[in-house]
Amino acid sequence: MTDAARSAVVRQGLSVAVATGLYGVSFGALSVTSGLSLWQTCVLSLLLFSGGSQFALIGVLGGGGTAGAAIAASSLLGVRNALYGLQLGPVVRPRGWRRVVVPQLTIDESTAVAVAQPTPELRRLGFWVTGLGVYVFWNLATLVGAFAGNALGDPQRYGLDAAAAASFIALLWPRLRGREPVAIAVVGALVTTVLVPVLPQGLPVVAAAVAGSVVAWCWR
């Protein structure tokens, strides 16, 4: 593993971490306006640390739903992280204290950067740089957003959600070099587009992942 390859992975991981972390401002502001206190908002990011699950939880609470419904919606979206763990476990091979840290950092972004690398060593590096980077930036941005609260206005007008999506597209694009990955990407995009207007936030992504898995299984 050359220094150039390591540096490229570090840059990639940090760029994704910054883009995703900035989106935490939206979560912090929306969480406070949904009725959570500043410390509740920050603890949620520190312990739950899963963007889709966090937005689902405050969405239910902000809409007048019960705590049980909010937890159920959040937990349902967290299922995808368990699937990521099955894929990353043999690569990261956590031991000792890492067994506690690795599950916390197994999120969309760390998984995407890790699986995009060509060797196990670079995958591990990508996982740790991205996971730790997102954790730090996300929690700092959550604190900023929670402090600002209503002063920010509608957080979505800043387009921070687009920054996170753009980082994923940048990771995906170099991998679209065959008919199979292109087919999976097209099916996932179509399923997500169709389901976004009718399903709660986050569930269209889960459905797209299932559809993509079916396409990959049938293709082979």
Side-chain angles (χ1 to χ4, degrees):
M1 180 168 53
T2 66
D3 291 340
R6 290 176 59 90
S7 298
V9 174
V10 170
R11 289 194 301 270
Q12 188 179 72
L14 290 178
S15 64
V16 171
V18 171
T20 304
L22 288 174
Y23 194 24
V25 174
S26 295
F27 170 74
L30 290 173
S31 179
V32 170
T33 56
S34 296
L36 273 68
S37 67
L38 185 148
W39 75 266
Q40 288 173 325
T41 297
C42 292
V43 168
L44 193 60
S45 277
L46 285 168
L47 300 182
L48 180 55
F49 185 54
S50 179
S53 297
Q54 290 179 231
F55 277 106
L57 190 145
I58 64 172
V60 173
L61 293 178
T66 65
I71 293 173
S74 177
S75 299
L76 179 61
L77 292 181
V79 170
R80 72 189 191 283
N81 291 27
L83 299 177
Y84 296 158
L86 293 176
Q87 184 175 17
L88 291 177
V91 176
V92 180
R93 295 179 296 187
R95 294 183 177 86
W97 60 269
R98 293 180 179 84
R99 290 181 177 272
V100 178
V101 177
V102 166
Q104 183 74 348
L105 301 182
T106 302
I107 54 176
D108 299 330
E109 293 79 10
S110 60
T111 302
V113 173
V115 300
Q117 309 311 320
T119 66
E121 292 80 8
L122 291 176
R123 292 188 190 108
R124 284 192 289 272
L125 178 62
F127 172 85
W128 285 108
V129 170
T130 309
L132 291 171
V134 173
Y135 190 83
V136 171
F137 285 117
W138 179 266
N139 281 282
L140 289 175
T142 295
L143 180 61
V144 172
F147 264 122
N150 293 326
L152 286 174
D154 182 4
Q156 295 184 358
R157 67 177 177 165
Y158 298 106
L160 298 179
D161 52 339
S167 67
F168 274 107
I169 294 175
L171 287 172
L172 174 65
W173 193 260
R175 300 176 66 84
L176 302 181
R177 296 178 177 176
R179 286 188 290 180
E180 180 184 354
V182 170
I184 293 172
V186 169
V187 169
L190 289 175
V191 170
T192 303
T193 302
V194 171
L195 295 182
V196 161
V198 297
L199 290 182
Q201 185 180 41
L203 290 184
V205 176
V206 176
V210 173
S213 300
V214 171
V215 172
W217 179 271
C218 295
W219 194 285
R220 295 172 182 176

